[in-house]
Amino acid sequence: MKKRVVSLFLLVALSVGLIAGTAAPAQAASAATKAKQKYKSYVTKKNGSFQYAKIIDIDGNGIPELLYNDWSNTSTSGKTYVYTYNKSTKKMVKLKSMYFGKGYAPYYNKKKHMVVLTFFTTRDGKYAFYKVSGKKITKDSTYYAKRGATGAWKYTINGKKVSQSTYSKKLNAKMKGYNVAFRWL
């Protein structure tokens, strides 16, 4: 009799564990679907098109992020935004934004959980690398090139002056494995 009670208890405990174990993936899938719907609605309302946006789970937590270039202020420059979705509040959360100048797209790397925001004009260019983790984004590094008054270019990595050769080599190595979020049509 005692063995039967223990067996029944173990069977019930295992069943509850299996049911509880399947609830989390279902909730994550639901949150991912809700996030995508929220992002699409937001971008479509902003500019009527979805061609300058990318929905992708950069940090691998099951909730996708939105990379979006907003052209609503085209007189000077557009702005790139990185959003995530808070499944508790069911709202979009802006992680970062940066003006992008003359129309460059952001990059992302799912393996490294990173996004790169870019800014370019005829006189300067910037690659800002950020690590995405849930509802947080932290700066990893910044590569900056600026043409001075004499026409000579100055290069910095994280504020430290470097040669053009060093800048190019390190930036090319850093960009390996990154994908452009979207292409200009």
Side-chain angles (χ1 to χ4, degrees):
M1 177 74 170
K2 201 175 194 183
K3 285 184 179 180
R4 204 174 214 188
V5 171
V6 170
S7 296
L8 184 59
F9 176 76
L10 289 174
L11 181 63
V12 170
L14 181 61
S15 297
V16 169
L18 289 174
I19 291 168
T22 59
Q27 289 172 351
S30 173
T33 300
K34 288 177 183 176
K36 289 176 185 177
Q37 291 169 344
K38 189 78 144 178
Y39 295 153
K40 287 179 181 178
S41 174
Y42 173 77
V43 172
T44 304
K45 284 179 187 173
K46 285 289 266 181
N47 73 353
S49 169
F50 207 73
Q51 68 186 19
Y52 301 122
K54 177 80 172 184
I55 297 173
I56 186 159
D57 186 5
I58 297 167
D59 60 358
N61 69 352
I63 306 295
E65 285 72 38
L66 170 68
L67 299 176
Y68 168 60
N69 275 9
D70 182 0
W71 286 86
S72 61
N73 181 14
T74 56
S75 62
T76 55
S77 171
K79 210 170 194 180
T80 299
Y81 293 91
V82 181
Y83 285 97
T84 193
Y85 179 78
N86 184 326
K87 63 183 179 183
S88 300
T89 64
K90 296 178 175 50
K91 292 185 178 182
M92 292 171 49
V93 177
K94 181 174 75 169
L95 297 176
K96 190 71 185 165
S97 65
M98 186 171 99
Y99 286 103
F100 59 77
K102 302 295 181 185
Y104 287 84
Y107 296 84
Y108 66 92
N109 185 318
K110 287 176 63 172
K111 288 182 181 175
K112 294 180 180 179
H113 309 296
M114 301 278 286
V115 63
V116 183
L117 304 183
T118 60
F119 173 86
F120 292 96
T121 69
T122 55
R123 297 191 60 83
D124 61 350
K126 177 178 176 180
Y127 291 84
F129 291 79
Y130 294 92
K131 177 103 172 159
V132 177
S133 179
K135 296 176 207 143
K136 292 168 64 175
I137 191 166
T138 53
K139 186 180 273 190
D140 174 76
S141 56
T142 303
Y143 289 68
Y144 187 64
K146 182 173 180 71
R147 184 170 27 192
T150 63
W153 285 88
K154 296 177 184 176
Y155 302 91
T156 61
I157 300 174
N158 297 325
K160 182 182 173 193
K161 193 174 178 180
V162 295
S163 68
Q164 178 188 8
S165 173
T166 299
Y167 177 89
S168 295
K169 284 178 190 173
K170 288 191 175 195
L171 180 58
N172 287 335
K174 183 89 171 173
M175 289 295 292
K176 285 195 189 304
Y178 282 82
N179 300 299
V180 67
F182 39 82
R183 302 221 183 269
W184 306 120
L185 302 176

